[in-house]
Amino acid sequence: MRSLNSILELSVVELDGLIATARDIIAHPENYWDKCAHRKLATLFFEPSTRTRLSFEAAMLELGGSVIGFSEASSSSAAKGESVADTARMVSCYADIIAMRHPREGAPYVASRAATVPVINAGDGGHNHPTQTLADLLTISREMGRLDNLTIGLCGDLKYGRTVHSLIEAMSRYKGIRFVLISPQELRIPGFIRYNVFENQGIPYTEVSSLEEAMPELDVLYMTRIQRERFDDPWEYERLKDSYVLDTEKMKLAKEKMCVLHPLPRVNEISVGVDNDPRAAYFRQALNGKYMRMALILMLLEEARQDPEKEAIDTEGLEYDRVCRNPKCISQVEQELPQLFRCTDRAADIHRCIYCEQRA
């Protein structure tokens, strides 16, 4: 039995398999109506969500299963001080699979180590969002007809944008992928992505501050919202929130065969005038998320049926003598969690927290 915390836990073969299953669900939905009969999904959402939570619930219902859970931390025992680990252990008694969103980075990982059923990371702080990436991959595949030899522009909040981090990790494993990173200086890509993907794997990328400059070369434009909830300083958010706005004039600079993605919700970073452009794929992207979550639920439940034993943690290279300084890490608030670090580069003395991946 395994859980899904990061998109990197799925091989390219598995990603392609999930896409194939999703396409079959689209073509033959009647074949899947009772695949999860008598199975329960628990949606544990410790921060607000519309698309992710509802698409998980719709996915399970369309597979013939049922849904339990909560949509905010205040309606759970977390408000009484219950730990993430204890919540996961308890909910495992009632459900067959868990989808968890949490503002603390690494919380779903902690849950997956404690739970006795598969746990799916539905977003943890500014860290990862693997199921959004599954939606993105299916959308790119359906819109562009391929997942290789693409120039992908990522625009907006690249520092806190967990959807961006997961998409970079996934797409970097396909041939001929190049990234154009479009952001203000303050919201540039974080160190763990820069090191793990671009520098360590030699993936080509450029960084620019102008959306207009980048538009003509892009096959995919991934717009993101400047996220108020990720900023500790409200003034800093107000200063940066309108950094990029995609409108019909900028769309004139783009290729005729290009697609615009956005994980949603949008605020004002995409003008409503763009919605009628056939290259605007973000609402189709939201629908694709349901199909990919259906495929993922089926895969994890089948794996759990065949092998109910929890996947062992890889302890090679783990160290215990450091302290995570990331204020958004789950280890900052659940003090009984052991501080664990993995050495990713011995020569450069680089150690990363196993919960949030930030460098010690």
Side-chain angles (χ1 to χ4, degrees):
M1 181 191 77
R2 66 167 166 167
S3 295
L4 180 65
N5 286 292
S6 163
I7 199 70
L8 293 177
E9 294 168 5
L10 296 171
S11 68
V12 171
V13 171
E14 289 173 320
L15 291 174
D16 291 342
L18 288 169
I19 290 171
T21 300
R23 286 180 175 273
D24 193 59
I25 291 170
I26 294 167
H28 307 288
E30 67 280 0
N31 293 343
Y32 294 85
W33 286 343
D34 61 354
K35 290 286 188 179
C36 288
H38 312 297
R39 312 299 290 274
K40 293 187 290 294
L41 165 73
T43 53
L44 311 185
F45 278 63
F46 292 82
E47 67 176 4
S49 169
T50 302
R51 275 147 300 278
T52 302
R53 181 173 61 85
L54 293 182
S55 68
F56 263 114
E57 294 179 356
M60 194 58 167
L61 293 171
E62 291 189 25
L63 290 169
S66 55
V67 179
I68 60 175
F70 53 82
S71 59
E72 56 183 353
S74 61
S75 61
S76 76
S77 288
K80 304 174 184 177
E82 184 173 55
S83 69
V84 166
D86 282 0
T87 298
R89 288 190 190 97
M90 179 271 299
V91 173
S92 297
C93 300
Y94 310 136
D96 300 287
I97 189 167
I98 294 170
M100 173 182 281
R101 168 167 289 187
H102 202 285
R104 289 284 173 175
E105 297 172 9
Y109 175 78
V110 171
S112 72
R113 302 316 309 165
T116 56
V117 299
V119 175
I120 301 171
N121 181 357
D124 61 331
H127 187 213
N128 277 321
H129 197 344
T131 64
Q132 177 62 53
T133 300
L134 294 178
D136 301 341
L137 294 178
L138 179 58
T139 305
I140 294 171
S141 175
R142 296 182 75 188
E143 298 290 324
M144 302 302 297
R146 66 188 191 280
L147 286 172
D148 56 5
N149 300 308
L150 294 167
T151 297
I152 301 174
L154 302 156
C155 180
D157 180 2
L158 310 189
K159 180 178 181 180
Y160 301 113
R162 56 194 173 196
T163 60
V164 167
H165 306 161
S166 292
L167 183 61
I168 289 173
E169 290 177 329
M171 289 301 302
S172 65
R173 293 185 288 173
Y174 289 88
K175 289 196 315 179
I177 298 298
R178 174 175 169 264
F179 293 100
V180 180
L181 309 178
I182 310 155
S183 72
Q185 180 73 24
E186 297 87 346
L187 296 176
R188 293 174 71 181
I189 209 76
F192 77 92
I193 294 292
R194 191 181 300 276
Y195 176 82
N196 290 347
V197 180
F198 299 135
E199 296 177 8
N200 207 29
Q201 300 179 41
I203 304 298
Y205 75 101
T206 56
E207 293 184 281
V208 299
S209 58
S210 168
L211 177 56
E212 291 89 340
E213 176 187 335
M215 285 293 285
E217 62 180 315
L218 303 180
D219 299 304
V220 177
L221 172 60
Y222 198 93
M223 294 294 295
T224 65
R225 172 175 62 94
I226 307 298
Q227 303 172 86
R228 181 194 300 270
E229 64 269 26
R230 305 295 174 220
F231 284 80
D232 295 325
D233 184 347
W235 181 87
E236 189 75 355
Y237 165 76
E238 291 295 330
R239 187 173 68 84
L240 295 170
K241 68 176 182 179
D242 296 325
S243 297
Y244 300 100
V245 178
L246 180 65
D247 55 25
T248 54
E249 288 301 307
K250 293 186 181 72
M251 287 296 290
K252 292 177 182 178
L253 303 172
K255 293 179 180 180
E256 183 177 346
K257 179 64 175 176
M258 186 268 277
C259 66
V260 179
L261 275 64
H262 191 306
L264 302 177
R266 68 172 166 191
V267 181
N268 61 347
E269 62 277 1
I270 299 180
S271 167
V272 295
V274 177
D275 294 355
N276 294 324
D277 191 306
R279 295 168 292 183
Y282 30 90
F283 291 113
R284 297 191 291 275
Q285 179 186 359
L287 177 59
N288 286 331
K290 180 186 70 174
Y291 298 129
M292 286 299 271
R293 290 179 176 106
M294 291 172 74
L296 178 64
I297 288 169
L298 288 171
M299 185 186 82
L300 292 180
L301 284 176
E302 178 58 21
E303 288 185 359
R305 185 188 68 81
Q306 294 183 5
D307 183 9
E309 293 298 315
K310 187 177 299 185
E311 192 173 48
I313 185 173
D314 178 11
T315 58
E316 183 178 354
L318 287 185
E319 299 183 7
Y320 301 81
D321 59 347
R322 299 167 189 269
V323 177
C324 183
R325 304 299 182 187
N326 176 10
K328 299 182 184 299
C329 181
I330 188 65
S331 66
Q332 297 292 316
V333 293
E334 301 209 353
Q335 300 301 325
E336 292 190 19
L337 283 177
Q339 294 279 331
L340 292 172
F341 291 82
R342 190 178 301 281
C343 181
T344 57
D345 189 324
R346 185 71 61 185
D349 193 33
I350 295 176
H351 299 77
R352 297 192 178 276
C353 173
I354 67 164
Y355 307 112
C356 68
E357 294 187 80
Q358 293 298 315
R359 184 174 179 177

